[in-house]
Amino acid sequence: IFLHILYTHTLVTDFRSGGVLSLAMIVHIVESCPRVHARFLAPDTETSLPAVRGDASVLPYALTSINITDMLAKFLMFSKSVDKIDALLSSKPFWKMFGDPNALLVLQELSMDMLCDVVVEINQVKSAKTEADENIEELSQVTVFDFPQVMEITEKRVRDDLLGAGPKTVDDMRAIHGKLQIRYKKACDKRVCQILKKKKGAAAGGGIETNDQFIPTNPAAALDKMVNAGDKATEAFTAVAGSAGGFFRQLGTSSKKFADGMESKFRAGISPIHTKDVYNNS
């Protein structure tokens, strides 16, 4: 900070374009939000700090906080890039909440917390992909090179889900944030399960899963799948044919011949398109 003042003369406008507000937010999180700040600290096994410590430590705390402050300045329309007339004429569902002087501080805290959650989710998805495919080349953990993606997801969630819900008070905003955390966690857990389920299903079925398509690698396993499919189809057609004997008599065939024909077609791997082909070939 001293060097920055030395070379730019003032913090009011030059502190990473966030001005003195971004510095104030950095100090606020450190002093008043220890749980959120701890998520940016390197894990320390020698102390009994909260379990969340370090889950976003790969990102530099100060620069992350400044970026969040700059993001909120755009959303709340007091950024230099926002047209003053547009700001005066805008009607946002959350404006009433900012009658509380603590609203901006709480929004910074919750936004930082949401960003940390995004880092955790990306880590979990990356780890699941690595476990499902040992040949995958991407790193299994978030790095500073993932920061643009982390910020993009965070911006969308804060703008559309948190502020977009139109909280009327700070307590409303905290309640919305809690519900969103649960929703995001469930969605992440579901995605991780789907990734791992594909791996287990492919291993059990003698093939691999790529883009929701099964590619058999074991001929015996593939044949079993075809036979099972044929057996199920035979049972279904037998049930239908047995209850429509009069119809088949009009066609000059019988329900048994029809079912036998369908079975032979399925076991041969042929899809019977026309009923006439089935009973004529029987």
Side-chain angles (χ1 to χ4, degrees), residues 41-58:
L41 302 179
D44 187 355
T45 57
E46 297 180 359
T47 61
S48 56
L49 290 176
V52 295
R53 177 178 174 131
D55 55 11
S57 60
V58 67

Side-chain angles (χ1 to χ4, degrees), residues 166-211:
K168 299 295 189 297
T169 65
V170 170
D171 290 338
D172 284 347
M173 185 165 61
R174 286 193 181 277
I176 293 170
H177 171 255
K179 293 177 181 178
L180 290 175
Q181 276 189 314
I182 296 173
R183 191 179 87 185
Y184 298 146
K185 187 178 185 307
K186 288 182 177 179
C188 180
D189 291 344
K190 182 178 179 180
R191 186 178 178 189
V192 169
C193 287
Q194 288 175 341
I195 294 172
L196 297 178
K197 186 177 180 181
K198 285 185 178 181
K199 176 188 177 183
K200 292 179 180 178
I208 59 174
E209 291 279 356
T210 57
N211 298 326

Side-chain angles (χ1 to χ4, degrees), residues 72-78 82 86-100 103 107 163 166-169:
L72 296 181
K74 294 176 183 177
F75 292 166
L76 303 179
M77 308 189 76
F78 58 80
V82 176
D86 291 341
L88 291 173
L89 297 178
S90 68
S91 177
K92 301 290 185 180
F94 52 78
W95 281 140
K96 184 178 179 180
M97 176 181 66
F98 286 91
D100 186 334
L107 182 57
L163 292 177
K168 299 295 189 297
T169 65

